[in-house]
Amino acid sequence: METNEAVVLRRRPTGLLSADDVEHVELPMPRAEPGQLVVRTEWLGIDATVRSWLNSGEGYLPPVEIGAVVRCSGIGTVVESRADRFTEGERAYGLPGWQRYAVLPDEVGITTPLPASADPEATMAVFGATGLTAYLGIVDIGAAQAGETVVVSAAAGATGSLAAQIAKIRGCRVVGVAGSDEKCRWLVDDLGLDGAINHRSADLAAELRRLCPDRIDVYFDNVGGPILDACLGRLARNGRVVLCGAISAYNEVRRPPGPANYVQLIQRRGRMEGFLALDHWGRMPEIAEILGGWLAYGQLRFRTQQFDGLESAVEALNALFTGANIGKVVIRLG
């Protein structure tokens, strides 16, 4: 009898995920109940939020339970369907987690059918939650306008690299903050940003003054911590801070302190707002069409860093926190 290969959580991690925090197991093959479908997982998308789901604290989704499959987004081919919107042989985008076969609910906003022509790599890097988040953050929440200065942290990551390019498409001056000289070169030479700062080696505050002489109109924050404080200190009047993620805090044992420079929001008449793409999933077709047009005309580019097999899952997730990744981290399952 065929079985399902999966990676389950065995204990709450402290710091980076270790091989001992999870376990590779064989599970019974899942079966679909009414309103469900079973997919054979082919691609997994690794995002920093996966690490936050392994903690015990409250979040926008409940934490992964001990003994449960580690949650993440992915693409799979439908092998059994008892759902109205899906038939066998089609592809679906949802939250299969770290396993070969997964049961997905037939719920709009949770599981999305993909056309046969969809490129799975582009779907993971651009047309899924990553692209939706980048677009909403720059266009809707940040309301970035032509001529304004936009700063993006974790700018060489999946969401940050798209957000920076979208700001450029809108006619903004864009500066990226990243963690290595290689990433900074990619941002400037390949993606066309106006400047990039290696926060590990540069004087961040001094570089922000140099590269943002008119201050920062929109700061797209993926990291929190000292980088958020530095950008708050350089905020322009009526500046907007878009809170997308806080990767600097996901591995912390204790809750980190809030931004020390928040008073700048008062001094600069600024606004800070958090958001989740999950709340706007109904706009995916509209935004995917816009992103697809930019991609087709060469205005938007993406890069993936691929890992192979479930055995690489721990390494793939940790790459987001060690600075080893450029672009979208994905796992390809054979």
Side-chain angles (χ1 to χ4, degrees):
M1 182 177 179
E2 193 173 6
T3 57
N4 183 23
E5 178 190 1
V7 179
V8 300
L9 183 66
R10 283 303 177 212
R11 66 184 184 190
R12 302 289 175 198
T14 300
L16 293 175
L17 185 67
S18 77
D20 294 332
D21 295 328
V22 297
E23 183 181 358
H24 290 251
V25 298
E26 286 190 354
L27 300 175
M29 279 293 292
R31 293 289 178 257
E33 299 292 336
Q36 296 178 337
L37 54 144
V38 176
V39 299
R40 182 179 62 251
T41 312
E42 297 165 351
W43 294 79
L44 294 174
I46 305 300
D47 301 294
T49 191
V50 172
R51 176 62 184 81
S52 71
W53 291 334
L54 304 183
N55 296 330
S56 59
E58 182 181 356
Y60 66 91
L61 289 178
V64 175
E65 295 182 2
I66 301 298
V69 175
V70 176
R71 180 193 302 129
C72 79
S73 64
I75 294 172
T77 295
V78 179
V79 296
E80 180 189 0
S81 178
R82 299 184 67 184
D84 294 335
R85 294 187 302 140
F86 296 87
T87 59
E88 291 182 16
E90 292 183 328
R91 272 180 168 161
Y93 175 93
L95 290 169
W98 291 2
Q99 56 185 334
R100 292 278 181 180
Y101 292 90
V103 174
L104 302 180
D106 184 12
E107 295 181 23
V108 176
I110 301 296
T111 307
T112 303
L114 297 178
S117 60
D119 175 1
E121 190 175 1
T123 298
M124 297 306 302
V126 178
F127 297 115
T130 302
L132 181 62
T133 300
Y135 183 94
L136 290 168
I138 292 295
V139 177
D140 288 28
I141 310 301
Q145 304 298 317
E148 291 188 322
T149 296
V150 175
V151 173
V152 179
S153 59
T159 303
S161 61
L162 295 184
Q165 292 178 85
I166 292 169
K168 282 296 296 181
I169 291 169
R170 291 178 68 82
C172 300
R173 174 179 176 81
V174 183
V175 175
V177 180
S180 72
D181 291 340
E182 178 190 5
K183 293 179 179 181
C184 289
R185 285 192 295 269
W186 181 63
L187 293 172
V188 174
D189 297 343
D190 290 19
L191 301 190
L193 271 59
D194 298 284
I197 304 169
N198 180 353
H199 68 89
R200 297 182 189 277
S201 61
D203 183 331
L204 181 58
E207 284 297 281
L208 288 172
R209 288 192 297 270
R210 181 178 71 85
L211 291 171
C212 307
D214 297 323
R215 292 184 169 269
I216 300 169
D217 297 293
V218 178
Y219 171 50
F220 191 104
D221 181 36
N222 286 303
V223 300
I227 297 176
L228 171 58
D229 269 330
C231 290
L232 281 169
R234 195 62 188 159
L235 201 63
R237 184 168 181 172
N238 298 317
R240 288 85 72 198
V241 177
V242 180
L243 298 179
C244 176
I247 194 171
S248 67
Y250 294 155
N251 283 324
E252 294 295 324
V253 177
R254 295 182 177 85
R255 186 181 298 275
N261 246 350
Y262 76 94
V263 71
Q264 290 297 319
L265 295 169
I266 303 171
Q267 307 284 8
R268 296 291 169 181
R269 295 76 157 176
R271 173 171 56 86
M272 181 185 290
E273 182 176 350
F275 75 106
L276 291 173
L278 190 64
D279 297 331
H280 306 269
W281 203 261
R283 295 188 60 196
M284 175 55 78
E286 162 211 345
I287 292 174
E289 185 175 357
I290 296 170
L291 296 173
W294 289 336
L295 198 64
Y297 282 99
Q299 295 173 283
L300 194 65
R301 304 176 66 181
F302 71 89
R303 179 169 168 176
T304 61
Q305 182 169 349
Q306 293 189 23
F307 291 79
D308 293 316
L310 287 174
E311 62 273 13
S312 70
V314 171
E315 181 186 3
L317 180 58
N318 285 339
L320 298 171
F321 297 92
T322 61
N325 74 297
I326 296 180
K328 178 74 173 185
V329 174
V330 297
I331 298 175
R332 189 168 186 175
L333 303 184

